[in-house]
Amino acid sequence: MKNIAIFASGTGSNATKIVEHLEGHPSIKVALIVSNKSTAPVLQMAATNNIATLLLKRQEFYDTENLLKDFAAYKIDFIALAGFLWLIPPYLVQAFPNKIVNIHPALLPKYGGKGMYGMNVHKAVHANKEKESGITIHFVNEHYDEGNSIFQASCPIDLQDDPSTIQKKVLVLEHQYFPTIIESLLLI
Ligand code: GRF
């Protein structure tokens, strides 16, 4: 069995799709949901699905490697970032080489980097009158949004679209592709 930890701090709609997709999977299990926000709805979703959770404290996350002990206890093989905004510290990147993936709601290398998250991304795409946007699923390194790209999918942007309709179109792609890409990476 390959065990996944999902890091999420927002609504967790991607985390939910991943959990649903992998439910009952013969060789992959979502073993842990990690969050840095005690009020994140994703923690409720984890409870409903009997998935263990871990709440990160910033200082401990960056100043110690305690998390690696927890991950060893849960036998974590793979990490999926689904709406997690803190930079992943070097010790974690090094412990999971090419085993941490992130989903970014734009076509990287455009609209990536620090501060480019959530509606900031879609507002920038809209302001620049882009004709398309999309998703990038990529490996995670020590820099925001710079790891090697694994997969991209795009959607057209119409003249009448605003940042919020762009966000909705992009989220459809996220839900459609992130769970299956994670699965395929784990079946290699
Ligand atoms: C998604 O847009 C994802 O691309 C980004 O954070 C958002 C998380 O949304 N990294 P949700 O919490 O999964 O609904």
Side-chain angles (χ1 to χ4, degrees):
M1 200 49 117
K2 296 263 179 72
N3 289 314
I4 305 184
I6 302 177
F7 284 47
S9 296
T11 34
S13 71
N14 278 284
T16 305
K17 292 286 174 190
I18 298 165
V19 166
E20 285 170 4
H21 181 74
L22 294 174
E23 197 172 348
H25 197 285
S27 60
I28 306 171
K29 180 181 165 195
V30 178
L32 189 63
I33 304 264
V34 179
S35 184
N36 61 354
K37 229 171 119 190
S38 61
T39 53
V42 72
L43 295 174
Q44 188 53 51
M45 184 280 288
T48 308
N49 288 280
N50 289 316
I51 300 170
T53 57
L54 207 65
L55 192 59
L56 295 177
K57 296 190 200 82
R58 181 177 270 276
Q59 205 178 357
E60 189 179 8
F61 184 52
Y62 288 108
D63 294 350
T64 78
E65 299 188 6
N66 291 347
L67 189 61
L68 296 182
K69 289 183 213 142
D70 293 316
F71 278 15
Y74 285 105
K75 299 190 180 354
I76 299 301
D77 301 291
F78 189 91
I79 298 169
L81 309 183
F84 182 77
L85 300 182
W86 289 358
L87 191 63
I88 298 301
Y91 73 83
L92 195 51
V93 174
Q94 280 150 27
F96 290 86
N98 280 348
K99 291 201 160 51
I100 310 178
V101 297
N102 179 45
I103 187 157
H104 187 78
L107 297 170
L108 291 174
K110 282 179 151 186
Y111 306 106
K114 195 169 163 56
M116 272 294 161
Y117 60 87
M119 283 307 280
N120 294 351
V121 174
H122 306 299
K123 280 181 190 160
V125 166
H126 180 254
N128 286 340
K129 300 187 172 27
E130 294 284 357
K131 298 221 163 20
E132 61 169 15
S133 190
I135 60 167
T136 304
I137 296 169
H138 64 93
F139 288 116
V140 169
N141 64 16
E142 283 109 333
H143 307 281
Y144 279 115
D145 302 327
E146 284 183 18
N148 288 338
S149 173
I150 300 163
F151 175 86
Q152 290 191 308
S154 59
C155 54
I157 297 176
D158 302 320
L159 275 178
Q160 67 272 23
D161 281 337
D162 60 17
S164 126
T165 53
I166 296 170
Q167 180 189 40
K168 289 195 181 80
K169 285 181 176 180
V170 170
L171 198 61
V172 169
L173 294 177
E174 296 188 34
H175 293 168
Q176 184 179 355
Y177 290 110
F178 202 23
T180 49
I181 295 289
I182 289 170
E183 181 185 14
S184 65
L185 288 169
L186 281 158
L187 293 178
I188 288 170

